[in-house]
Amino acid sequence: MKAARWLADLPIGSKLTLLAGAASAIALLVSSAAFIAYDRATFDDSTVRRLSGEAAIVAANSATAIVFRDPEAAQVTLAALAAERDVTSAVLYTMDGAIFATYASDVGTRDPPRAPSDAFAGHAFEKGQLIVHRRVMFEGAPVGTLVMRDDLTARWERLRRYLATVAEVSLAALLVALLAGRLAGRAISAPILTLAGTARAVSERNDFSVRAVPRGRDEVGVLVATFNEMLDGLQRRDAELRRIQAELEHRVEERTGLLREAEDANRLKDQFLATLSHELRTPLNAIVGWTTLLMQGHLAPEAATRAVTVIDRNARAQTKLIEDVLDVSRIVSGKLRLNARALDLATVVKAAADSVAHAAGAKRIRLKLLLEAGTALVSGDPDRLQQVVWNLLSNAIKFTPAGGTVTVQVEQGRAA
Amino acid sequence: MVTRAVMAAVLLSAAPARPASAPVPREEYEVKAAFLYHFAHLVEWPAPTLPGEPFVIAVVGHDPFAATLEQVLAGKSVRGQPVHVEPFDGAADQGDARIHVLFVGHGVGDHVRQALAAVAGQPILTVGDDAKFTDRGGMIAFRITSAGRVAFDISLQRAEQTGLRMSSQLLKLARIVGPAR
């Protein structure tokens, strides 16, 4: 479990390196083991054959020495085995089992090879040694037995050399495999790392405009291409979202403006209504007051006349006010109709001035008209225009201190 | 080999020679009989062998060796030829058969020279029980080494002059005497 986890956490490069190394190591081990086993079998075979041949020659050359009972001669024949490094000892036995002659390069270190049992002939591997037996024949009859012992030094030497070579080659192959694995790993993991870096950039900075650079058309290349396509989609959607968001904000702003406007309008309307009520009540106060006095019948005739005049003026003023309110209502509902015709502005201003002359006189305000008859001929609705001018003059008189002057001047301006 | 031969010579000269009249142990005769038989296998005779022809070993002198020889070689054969042990009758041909080996025993005195003269030049292997047999004109002489082992000298030149061929396996065990080849 731990190993699996460790393997899972290992970078791809290291995984590939490990894989390459393990694969080559296993291949080398298996093939080396097979080769060594095969070679050993072959080598043993050839050793047996060589030694058997050797034994045959020595036995043939020893036959007469045995029959003529000349151990010294046999000794000389056996001594030739010194050329065989691995033959450590050889013994010639006579048929009655007595040692006839011996040769030993391992004198004193080991007992001579045992006398053969009759049943045994040929060779045997025992205790890391090869024992070869050979009957010594003279004229078709056995006269003795040659026993040779080979301590297989060459075999162990060869095995050691093989193992050393295998170790060297394995080490070299392993290094090459590791290098190849590292290179392959880099080739594979580098694009993935680049891709991961791009993905991180995207997730950290929400920047959908970056793109991973494709390096090839392998699996990783496909992944990179797909990733980029995904980014395309994300970028499009992001842009769309931003656009919609901006639009919504704009709309909200718009709505907020409208709302404020509506609120303003409402407030103005309230203000207007308050003002209107006040304006409508002012003349009514006078009318109601004087009417009450009249009805009590205690007024002198001059006072009654004055009362009726005040009532009349205030009733007219209120009528005018109501007409104005109706006009405003008409303007709002678009029902106001202007009767446009050619008119002289001076006439209109003079008419308006006449209608406020009384009010001006009451405050000792001097109305100064600077008019040139016939100079201001325009097209318009004379009643409305007169109304506008009257409004202006009324306000002017209202807010001018007593004894002041209100000047009305009509002059021809430059046509726009 | 040279060293060994010299050593053997030194040892031989140092060893006290056995008096000619001293009896030879029977065991030694058995060994010599076996040697004689083995010689027959290691020597080639020039003339082809005829079918049914016996391998004749002729013995000179009344020697107890002859009896031993007969016992040891009874029923044996050399290259398919049955071995016959016969007393030497003074001629190269014993009756119908040729002689292959002429054995000269101990203490035969003048008979040695007569016997050798009778077979001179013939392809007959002459073996003597006397260490000086080769000096007297024989081919192989038995001798006893200082260690008491039976050994033999071979006069190779004399043997080859008669057309006999000796195996190297035999020669390597012998002390070669007489002129070199």
Side-chain angles (χ1 to χ4, degrees):
Chain A
M1 241 13 225
K2 218 167 182 178
R5 179 65 191 274
W6 173 78
L7 195 66
D9 287 346
L10 211 58
I12 290 179
S14 305
K15 271 183 196 149
L16 283 169
T17 307
L18 200 68
L19 189 72
S24 61
I26 288 169
L28 274 168
L29 273 178
V30 171
S31 59
S32 301
F35 182 71
I36 287 174
Y38 171 77
D39 180 75
R40 183 167 167 165
T42 314
F43 184 72
D44 284 356
D45 216 42
S46 71
T47 303
V48 167
R49 228 170 314 153
R50 188 166 48 80
L51 222 61
S52 298
E54 203 89 32
I57 293 169
V58 172
N61 287 333
S62 305
T64 50
I66 291 176
V67 298
F68 290 112
R69 306 182 179 201
D70 191 345
E72 286 174 44
Q75 211 85 40
V76 169
T77 304
L78 291 183
L81 288 171
E84 279 292 326
R85 194 182 45 147
D86 289 348
V87 175
T88 52
S89 48
V91 178
L92 263 175
Y93 288 94
T94 55
M95 286 312 282
D96 52 14
I99 291 178
F100 183 69
T102 60
Y103 158 79
S105 69
D106 56 356
V107 188
T109 60
R110 278 194 240 168
D111 296 333
R114 282 181 296 104
S117 64
D118 283 344
F120 181 74
H123 70 272
F125 285 95
E126 48 183 55
K127 294 178 194 161
Q129 304 173 353
L130 173 61
I131 308 288
V132 172
H133 288 197
R134 180 89 191 180
R135 275 273 184 262
V136 180
M137 307 292 284
F138 183 77
E139 293 304 319
V143 295
T145 308
L146 172 66
V147 184
M148 275 164 59
R149 180 164 63 192
D150 183 315
D151 68 357
L152 299 173
T153 309
R155 180 163 84 169
W156 302 120
E157 176 74 13
R158 195 178 170 91
L159 185 65
R160 203 163 47 238
R161 270 209 313 271
Y162 266 130
L163 287 178
T165 309
V166 163
E168 282 166 21
V169 170
S170 299
L171 205 64
L174 206 62
L175 282 177
V176 170
L178 289 181
L179 198 67
R182 174 161 291 194
L183 285 177
R186 202 169 291 165
I188 290 176
S189 64
I192 294 180
L193 285 179
T194 312
L195 187 63
T198 310
R200 201 176 306 122
V202 170
S203 75
E204 277 175 4
R205 289 188 269 128
N206 274 329
D207 179 3
F208 298 108
S209 66
V210 292
R211 290 290 178 274
V213 182
R215 291 211 188 155
R217 285 191 282 179
D218 61 354
E219 289 86 339
V220 177
V222 171
L223 184 64
V224 167
T226 313
F227 182 74
N228 282 341
E229 277 169 29
M230 198 176 76
L231 278 181
D232 285 342
L234 277 175
Q235 192 179 18
R236 268 202 307 277
R237 219 161 297 171
D238 186 52
E240 183 78 0
L241 271 174
R242 277 174 204 280
R243 198 181 59 73
I244 290 173
Q245 194 180 356
E247 203 174 275
L248 269 176
E249 270 171 21
H250 178 70
R251 231 179 267 180
V252 167
E253 238 166 67
E254 212 171 59
R255 289 286 157 89
T256 311
L258 284 176
L259 192 63
R260 204 168 293 137
E261 270 174 39
E263 279 170 358
D264 285 353
N266 211 25
R267 202 170 53 244
L268 282 173
K269 198 167 135 195
D270 289 347
Q271 231 166 1
F272 174 75
L273 281 175
T275 311
L276 181 67
S277 310
H278 180 71
E279 292 289 325
L280 283 174
R281 233 192 30 213
T282 308
L284 266 181
N285 285 341
I287 292 169
V288 169
W290 285 108
T291 308
T292 308
L293 286 175
L294 281 174
M295 281 167 74
Q296 285 169 351
H298 298 302
L299 285 178
E302 311 90 62
T305 312
R306 199 179 146 230
V308 172
T309 311
V310 170
I311 288 169
D312 176 65
R313 193 177 67 234
N314 279 298
R316 284 175 196 280
Q318 194 160 29
T319 308
K320 187 93 178 92
L321 264 175
I322 288 168
E323 272 174 15
D324 284 351
V325 171
L326 287 174
D327 279 349
V328 168
S329 170
R330 273 191 213 105
I331 289 167
V332 169
S333 61
K335 285 176 185 165
L336 185 73
R337 298 185 84 100
L338 295 175
N339 298 315
R341 58 191 160 87
L343 58 89
D344 184 4
L345 209 53
T347 318
V348 171
V349 172
K350 225 177 273 172
D354 283 347
S355 59
V356 296
H358 180 77
K363 278 183 82 177
R364 295 191 322 281
I365 285 173
R366 188 171 153 241
L367 256 178
K368 192 173 167 188
L369 299 179
L370 299 172
L371 305 171
E372 291 174 50
T375 53
L377 205 63
V378 295
S379 169
D381 186 326
D383 295 336
R384 298 295 167 211
L385 274 172
Q386 191 179 329
Q387 201 174 348
V388 168
V389 176
W390 179 84
N391 270 328
L392 291 170
L393 287 175
S394 298
N395 283 332
I397 288 161
K398 190 186 274 181
F399 297 106
T400 302
T405 308
V406 171
T407 307
V408 181
Q409 187 172 10
V410 176
E411 63 176 22
Q412 195 168 4
R414 190 137 318 162
Chain B
M1 272 322 240
V2 171
T3 315
R4 207 174 137 253
V6 168
M7 285 227 333
V10 168
L11 286 170
L12 188 69
S13 58
R18 183 167 47 202
S21 56
V24 173
R26 180 180 162 75
E27 224 172 272
E28 188 183 308
Y29 274 130
E30 282 177 1
V31 170
K32 285 175 180 171
F35 277 26
L36 202 58
Y37 176 65
H38 294 321
F39 288 155
H41 287 101
L42 297 166
V43 174
E44 255 182 67
W45 277 261
T49 305
L50 302 170
E53 191 184 12
F55 187 84
V56 178
I57 299 176
V59 180
V60 178
H62 302 285
D63 201 286
F65 181 57
T68 311
L69 201 57
E70 287 227 48
Q71 279 174 15
V72 170
L73 301 183
K76 301 215 169 177
S77 60
V78 174
R79 295 191 195 88
Q81 296 174 263
V83 175
H84 284 197
V85 179
E86 297 168 6
F88 183 57
D89 64 1
D93 294 318
Q94 293 274 101
D96 295 339
R98 290 186 287 151
I99 295 177
H100 292 83
V101 177
L102 178 69
F103 182 78
V104 181
H106 251 290
V108 288
D110 283 346
H111 294 297
V112 175
R113 200 164 299 137
Q114 283 177 19
L116 287 178
V119 298
Q122 302 276 336
I124 293 171
L125 184 68
T126 54
V127 182
D129 201 11
D130 183 357
K132 294 194 166 107
F133 184 62
T134 47
D135 295 341
R136 293 175 181 174
M139 295 178 189
I140 300 178
F142 283 125
R143 62 187 167 83
I144 307 298
T145 67
S146 56
R149 195 170 65 74
V150 179
F152 46 87
D153 295 343
I154 292 180
S155 172
L156 183 57
Q157 193 196 39
R158 202 167 291 144
E160 290 192 334
Q161 274 170 355
T162 64
L164 289 175
R165 296 190 55 78
M166 290 186 164
S167 160
S168 64
Q169 293 287 341
L170 177 62
L171 295 176
K172 76 172 183 184
L173 298 173
R175 187 169 69 176
I176 310 298
V177 296
R181 253 197 294 190

